[in-house]
C-alpha cells in the first residue's frame, strides 16, 4: 500500500517544511519539497518514487503533517484498589489513535514476591493481539533484591529499558532509599533509565490519617493531604540519589512547583534529570476535587494542585525552557459509577487515576500552541520526538523522515471541537474536560502505513499494533 500525503506542511521538532510525504508499506520512503523548497531529499530518486503513483492520495492543503504522537505513560487494565483500569489495550489504544497517538508506552507490573519476567509476560499477553497501534513497556519494580537486580539486565535485553520505582504507596509499590540507589547503580551498568514516582508516601500517610480521624473523608482531602512539599522533597531526594549513582533519572507525572524547582536546580548543576508532567496538572486544579463526592472523578496521584500555588505556570515555564521534556497522560480510567464509587465515605478507597489518552494532543495544541506558549515545533517535540529519544525509539518513531516508521498524522490546527464523554472513545463514563472546546484535531491517523482513523471513522484492527523493542537509554546519557 502506497499513500501520498500532498500539499501539507510537515512539522517536526526541528522545524517546518512544505513537502509531500510518500509512504510505501510501513515506512516513509520520500519527502519531496514543493515550490522550490528543499525538503532534504528532493532528489531524482524521490521524484522517481513519486512518479510511480500511490494507491491512496490524501490532500493535506492547510493541514499539518506530524509524526504520530507517543504517549509515554499509560496504564491499560491496571489493577488498583480491588478493581481494574477500565480501558483494555484494545479500547485504550483505539481511543489513543482517535487522538493522534500511534505509540503508547504502558507499565508492566512486577507483583510483590514475584519475578520481573512473570509481570512482563502477563502484560505482553494483555496487549498482544489486541492493541491497534504499536506499544512498548516500562517495568514497575515492586521488590529490589539480588534476584530482581540481576533480572533487570535480562528485561533490558528484551527491549524494556526503563524501570519505575515509587517513594509513594508504602506497603505496595514503595521502595526505600537503599533500594532506589541499588536500582540506579544497576541502570548505570545495563543502560536502563530509572523512572520515579516522587512523593513522600510515608509523610503523606501521616496527614491522611489525621484527616480521616477528623472526619474529613471527601475526595478533596485526597488532594489536601498530599502536600506539594512532599513531592518537592521526594523529587530532590531521588535526584540526589541519581547523582550519587552517576545515573540519569526521569521523574514521572510532576504536578507541583516544589518538584519543578528541584529538577530545575538539578539541571542547572549539570545533572541528567528529566521529567514529564500531564495535561491534568496543566489544565485542572484542586477546585475540581471539590463538589462533594463528584470530586472522585479527579482523584489521582500526585493530586491536582491548588490554583493559587503557581503550580500550573511553573509547569508551563518548565516545558517552555526544557526543564521538563514531555507530557504523558498517566491514562488510568475508572468509571465514576461502580469504580470511583468504591471510595464513597473514604477518599482512601477511591481508585487513583484519570482518563486522558485521547485528549492529550489536542489539549497541548490548544493550551500550548493556540495559547501562545510554545511553537508548533516544540509541541511536536513534547508529544512525539522527545519521548522517542528518551525512551529509545528514535528515529524509528518521533519524526517524519525517510526511513522512519510511517506513523503520520494529518492534523487540522484550526478545527474546533468540544470534549465530552458522549463522543469520546475511551471506555469510561465521564470526561475530566467535559464541555471544554479545543482547537485542533487529527483528521487522518496512520500507524505503520495503515490508515487507522480517517475523518472520525475507525479503520484499524485489533492486533495490528506491534510490541516495540526499545534501545537502551543512550540519548539521556548524552543530553
Ligand atoms: Zn502512572
Amino acid at each position: 500500500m502506497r499513500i501520498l500525503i500532498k500539499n501539507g506542511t510537515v512539522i517536526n521538532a526541528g522545524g517546518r517544511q512544505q513537502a509531500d510525504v510518500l509512504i510505501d508499506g510501513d515506512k516513509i520512503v520520500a519527502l519531496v519539497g514543493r515550490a522550490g523548497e528543499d525538503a532534504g531529499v528532493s532528489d531524482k530518486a524521490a521524484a522517481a518514487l513519486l512518479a510511480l503513483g500511490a494507491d491512496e492520495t490524501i490532500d493535506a492543503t492547510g493541514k499539518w503533517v506530524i509524526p504520530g504522537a507517543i504517549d509515554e505513560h499509560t496504564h491499560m487494565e491496571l489493577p488498583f484498589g480491588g478493581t481494574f483500569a477500565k480501558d483494555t489495550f484494545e479500547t485504550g489504544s483505539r481511543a489513543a489513535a482517535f487522538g493522534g497517538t500511534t505509540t503508547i508506552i504502558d507499565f508492566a507490573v512486577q507483583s510483590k514476591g514475584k519475578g520481573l519476567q512473570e509481570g512482563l509476560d502477563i502484560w505482553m499477553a494483555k496487549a498482544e493481539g489486541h492493541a491497534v497501534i504499536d506499544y512498548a513497556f516500562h517495568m514497575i519494580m515492586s521488590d529490589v533484591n539480588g534476584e530482581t537486580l540481576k533480572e533487570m539486565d535480562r528485561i533490558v535485553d528484551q527491549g524494556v529499558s526503563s524501570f519505575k520505582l515509587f517513594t509513594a504507596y508504602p506497603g505496595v509499590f514503595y521502595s526505600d532509599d537503599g533500594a532506589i540507589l541499588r536500582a540506579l547503580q544497576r541502570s548505570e551498568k545495563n543502560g536502563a533509565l530509572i523512572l520515579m514516582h516522587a512523593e513522600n508516601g510515608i509523610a503523606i500517610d501521616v496527614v491522611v490519617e489525621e484527616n480521616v480521624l477528623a472526619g474529613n473523608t471527601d475526595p478533596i482531602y485526597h488532594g489536601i493531604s498530599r502536600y506539594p512539599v512532599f513531592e518537592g522533597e521526594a523529587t530532590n531526594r531521588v535526584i540526589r540519589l541519581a547523582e550519587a549513582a552517576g545515573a540519569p533519572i526521569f521523574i514521572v507525572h510532576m504536578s507541583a512547583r516544589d518538584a519543578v524547582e528541584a529538577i530545575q536546580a538539578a539541571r542547572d548543576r549539570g545533572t541528567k534529570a528529566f521529567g514529564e508532567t500531564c495535561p491534568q496538572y496543566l489544565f485542572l486544579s484542586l477546585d475540581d476535587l471539590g463538589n462533594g463526592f463528584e470530586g472522585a472523578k479527579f482523584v489521582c496521584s500526585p493530586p491536582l494542585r491548588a490554583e493559587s500555588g503557581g503550580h500550573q505556570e511553573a509547569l508551563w515555564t518548565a516545558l517552555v525552557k526544557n526543564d521538563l521534556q514531555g507530557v504523558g497522560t498517566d491514562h488510568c480510567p475508572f468509571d465514576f459509577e461502580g469504580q470511583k464509587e468504591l471510595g464513597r465515605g473514604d477518599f482512601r478507597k477511591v481508585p487513583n487515576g484519570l482518563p486522558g489518552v485521547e485528549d492529550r494532543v489536542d489539549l497541548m495544541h490548544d493550551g500550548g500552541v493556540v495559547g501562545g506558549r510554545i511553537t508548533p515545533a516544540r509541541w511536536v517535540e513534547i508529544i512525539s520526538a522527545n519521548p522517542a529519544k528518551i525512551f529509545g525509539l528514535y528515529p524509528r518513531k518521533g519524526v517524519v523522515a525517510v526511513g522512519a516508521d510511517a506513523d503520520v498524522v494529518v492534523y487540522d490546527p484550526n478545527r474546533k471541537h468540544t470534549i465530552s464523554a458522549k463522543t469520546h472513545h475511551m471506555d469510561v463514563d465521564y470526561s475530566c474536560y467535559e464541555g471544554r472546546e479545543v482547537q485542533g484535531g487529527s483528521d487522518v491517523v496512520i500507524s505503520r502505513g495503515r490508515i487507522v482513523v480517517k475523518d472520525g471513522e475507525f479503520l484499524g484492527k485489533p492486533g495490528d499494533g506491534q510490541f516495540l523493542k526499545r534501545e537502551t537509554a543512550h540519548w539521556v546519557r548524552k543530553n
Side-chain angles (χ1 to χ4, degrees):
M1 172 90 170
R2 292 160 61 85
I3 303 171
L4 176 63
I5 304 170
K6 276 180 79 78
N7 306 322
T9 301
V10 174
I11 299 185
N12 278 312
R16 67 168 70 199
Q17 57 192 160
Q18 303 301 318
D20 296 341
V21 178
L22 182 65
I23 292 165
D24 193 358
D26 58 3
K27 296 286 182 191
I28 297 169
V29 294
L31 261 73
V32 184
R34 293 194 313 275
E37 272 204 50
D38 181 9
V41 289
S42 55
D43 55 11
K44 279 185 194 152
L49 279 171
L50 219 51
L52 291 173
D55 303 302
E56 175 143 6
T57 300
I58 296 165
D59 182 12
T61 303
K63 310 281 171 68
W64 293 348
V65 181
I66 63 170
I70 299 171
D71 192 336
E72 66 210 22
H73 192 150
T74 68
H75 297 282
M76 306 304 172
E77 307 177 39
L78 179 78
F80 195 105
T83 185
F84 286 84
K86 188 112 178 292
D87 265 320
T88 62
F89 277 86
E90 181 178 335
T91 62
S93 67
R94 190 167 40 128
F98 272 102
T101 292
T102 53
T103 299
I104 55 169
I105 313 182
D106 206 87
F107 287 82
V109 181
Q110 176 216 1
S111 300
K112 256 195 168 344
K114 308 262 175 70
L116 298 177
Q117 187 68 52
E118 189 178 338
L120 179 58
D121 291 346
I122 291 169
W123 257 261
M124 285 284 205
K126 287 180 199 245
E128 199 181 347
H130 302 288
V132 309
I133 54 169
D134 290 350
Y135 57 94
F137 289 110
H138 312 285
M139 182 93 227
I140 288 177
M141 273 182 98
S142 302
D143 292 315
V144 177
N145 56 45
E147 208 40 57
T148 56
L149 284 167
K150 263 185 260 163
E151 229 189 332
M152 275 177 88
D153 303 359
R154 298 199 290 276
I155 300 293
V156 172
D157 291 342
Q158 292 168 64
V160 176
S161 52
S162 44
F163 298 83
K164 183 186 185 188
L165 286 84
F166 297 72
T167 58
Y169 305 123
V172 188
F173 292 127
Y174 175 84
S175 285
D176 67 20
D177 294 350
I180 294 165
L181 182 61
R182 278 191 196 95
L184 284 160
Q185 288 170 332
R186 192 77 182 197
S187 76
E188 247 337 82
K189 298 207 176 79
N190 62 29
L193 178 62
I194 299 299
L195 278 49
M196 289 300 312
H197 176 140
E199 285 185 290
N200 188 325
I202 295 195
I204 286 167
D205 279 2
V206 172
V207 184
V208 164
E209 199 180 331
E210 285 168 3
N211 271 315
V212 172
L213 282 174
N216 299 326
T217 56
D218 272 354
I220 196 164
Y221 288 97
H222 168 84
I224 290 170
S225 300
R226 305 178 85 93
Y227 300 165
V229 71
F230 292 153
E231 188 184 335
E233 182 278 325
T235 301
N236 177 64
R237 177 162 34 107
V238 298
I239 289 173
R240 289 302 198 175
L241 292 172
E243 290 171 352
I249 192 164
F250 185 93
I251 314 296
V252 297
H253 53 45
M254 293 174 61
S255 73
R257 181 165 53 87
D258 312 55
V260 171
E261 287 167 357
I263 203 168
Q264 280 168 341
R267 291 177 63 83
D268 286 350
R269 58 180 183 265
T271 302
K272 293 180 189 310
F274 301 85
E276 65 168 11
T277 184
C278 311
Q280 53 268 32
Y281 305 122
L282 296 167
F283 296 100
L284 305 172
S285 75
L286 187 66
D287 293 344
D288 293 296
L289 275 163
N291 194 17
F293 191 70
E294 281 289 300
K297 292 175 177 172
F298 298 90
V299 167
C300 58
S301 295
L304 305 179
R305 299 300 183 185
E307 198 128 20
S308 59
H311 304 289
Q312 289 186 357
E313 278 322 299
L315 290 165
W316 277 112
T317 301
L319 282 171
V320 170
K321 294 174 74 177
N322 203 41
D323 284 318
L324 295 183
Q325 295 73 34
V327 174
T329 57
D330 202 2
H331 177 76
C332 191
F334 298 99
D335 273 344
F336 181 71
E337 209 175 304
Q339 291 192 297
K340 289 286 189 182
E341 281 181 331
L342 294 168
R344 231 179 241 288
D346 186 350
F347 68 81
R348 293 173 299 181
K349 300 203 172 95
V350 178
N352 283 210
L354 310 183
V357 74
E358 187 169 352
D359 304 321
R360 177 185 68 128
V361 170
D362 297 339
L363 283 168
M364 292 309 297
H365 177 265
D366 188 62
V369 180
V370 180
R373 293 180 170 102
I374 53 174
T375 64
R378 178 62 178 165
W379 169 67
V380 168
E381 191 164 40
I382 288 169
I383 61 170
S384 183
N386 276 349
K389 288 171 179 169
I390 292 170
F391 297 109
L393 291 168
Y394 195 87
R396 180 175 173 192
K397 307 286 191 190
V399 61
V400 177
V402 172
D405 277 1
D407 291 2
V408 181
V409 173
V410 177
Y411 197 82
D412 184 344
N414 297 308
R415 176 160 61 84
K416 292 183 177 158
H417 62 106
T418 301
I419 298 176
S420 171
K422 292 186 199 83
T423 48
H424 73 199
H425 303 86
M426 299 176 284
D427 185 18
V428 60
D429 65 1
Y430 73 98
S431 169
C432 293
Y433 306 98
E434 187 65 43
R436 180 187 288 255
E437 186 185 71
V438 290
Q439 183 178 326
S442 298
D443 286 357
V444 184
V445 181
I446 301 170
S447 165
R448 259 184 308 97
R450 295 165 291 112
I451 297 175
V452 287
V453 173
K454 190 172 185 188
D455 301 328
E457 198 188 336
F458 182 69
L459 303 169
K461 209 167 86 241
D464 276 354
Q466 284 180 2
F467 170 68
L468 299 169
K469 269 187 87 163
R470 295 186 290 118
E471 294 171 19
T472 53
H474 46 78
W475 189 85
V476 292
R477 288 181 168 77
K478 289 193 212 113
N479 287 274

